[in-house]
Amino acid sequence: MTADEQKKAAALAALEYVKPGNKVGLGTGSTANHFITALAEKAKAGLDVECVATSKATFELAKSLGLKITTLEKQPRLDITVDGTDEFDGKFQLIKGGGGALLLEKIVASSSRYMVVIADQSKQVETLGRFPLPVEVVPFGINATAWKIERALRILELKGKLVLRLKDGKPFVTDSGNAIIDVTIGAIPNPDQLSTYLSVIPGVVDHGLFVNLCGIILMGTDDGVKTFRKA
Ligand code: 5RP
């Protein structure tokens, strides 16, 4: 099975968690797109759901497929969010934000009773950190924010290389108008602690560590979809 086939299998398996009448958070990325497409088919066949998108791209896709869209302003509590990930470990901790949608993804996931993560096998890791950690920052004073991120890493005895994310040669701009600094760390032994340190830096809007948010992971493999469920 290719990685994309594994993503699609996981996405289809996630449909079973969506119940009639559910308010559903829709993630961002290629795996989430498989889910959105499959959910739209189910909605056409009669499943009544209302969805909140985690990015402009997801909003456009969901709308084009005819899904009923709402907002967190109208529906501040959601039943379920289904989203992809860049990495997950055995403690249901994630690194997200490869697609740059981490801020809205975290707001939506944390507003949901369940976050179901869908992934191909390559996303499973022993220890988070192989994937560069996206940190969303306010453009104002970005270099000052960067040295504070470096200082936090030093205090935690982590080595990290900071790179400003670019798109077409210009700083990448998130849907909320911010920049992203990708921090290559290699291994993050204590994601919860790093999350706390990053969250209090002025100028850091959010970061891609998702801790205590996800309860179910569906991973596509050559032998079918494997389900990990938090006790
Ligand atoms: C976007 C994300 C995505 O979920 C993550 O990057 C995985 O992407 P894909 O499903 O395309 O592999 O966090 O911000």
Side-chain angles (χ1 to χ4, degrees):
M1 248 181 164
T2 64
D4 195 56
E5 285 164 343
Q6 292 179 358
K7 289 178 184 192
K8 190 168 179 186
L12 294 179
L15 286 175
E16 131 185 15
Y17 294 84
V18 182
K19 308 294 175 211
N22 272 183
K23 314 283 179 248
V24 184
L26 302 176
T28 294
S30 58
T31 321
N33 286 349
H34 282 307
F35 173 75
I36 295 163
T37 306
L39 184 66
E41 288 298 316
K42 290 266 280 191
K44 267 191 200 123
L47 180 72
D48 175 35
V49 285
E50 262 192 306
C51 304
V52 172
T54 54
S55 63
K56 286 178 189 163
T58 286
F59 175 84
E60 294 304 336
L61 176 65
K63 203 172 120 194
S64 73
L65 294 172
L67 277 165
K68 225 188 276 173
I69 313 277
T70 184
T71 63
L72 269 192
E73 284 66 39
K74 289 190 195 131
Q75 298 290 351
R77 283 166 201 238
L78 306 180
D79 297 292
I80 179 171
T81 283
V82 180
D83 201 350
T85 191
D86 295 301
E87 278 187 358
F88 71 90
D89 69 9
K91 294 181 178 160
F92 297 79
Q93 303 175 119
L94 318 172
I95 286 185
K96 286 186 50 56
L102 59 125
L103 175 60
L104 303 195
E105 287 173 339
K106 203 181 276 184
I107 295 171
V108 170
S110 62
S111 308
S112 308
R113 281 176 61 219
Y114 300 103
M115 179 189 195
V116 175
V117 161
I118 47 179
D120 64 274
Q121 232 170 348
S122 72
K123 308 293 179 64
Q124 186 179 33
V125 295
E126 195 71 43
T127 306
L128 295 185
R130 191 179 60 197
F131 192 88
L133 176 66
V135 182
E136 182 158 347
V137 298
V138 174
F140 176 83
I142 191 164
N143 290 339
T145 305
W147 72 249
K148 288 165 206 161
I149 295 173
E150 282 169 339
R151 184 179 58 185
L153 295 173
R154 252 196 327 274
I155 293 169
L156 297 173
E157 296 180 0
L158 295 171
K159 285 201 177 72
K161 187 172 174 290
L162 278 61
V163 176
L164 178 67
R165 190 180 296 186
L166 300 177
K167 189 178 176 192
D168 304 326
K170 295 194 187 119
F172 176 86
V173 181
T174 68
D175 283 353
S176 307
N178 298 311
I180 289 189
I181 297 176
D182 289 305
V183 187
T184 303
I185 301 174
I188 306 173
N190 191 338
D192 206 1
Q193 187 186 43
L194 178 58
S195 166
T196 305
Y197 272 72
L198 291 176
S199 298
V200 296
I201 298 174
V204 168
V205 181
D206 212 335
H207 54 74
L209 288 168
F210 282 49
V211 179
N212 290 327
L213 282 172
C214 158
I216 296 170
I217 297 172
L218 304 173
M219 179 178 78
T221 77
D222 288 344
D223 303 320
V225 176
K226 229 173 145 177
T227 303
F228 302 94
R229 209 182 284 268
K230 207 171 181 175

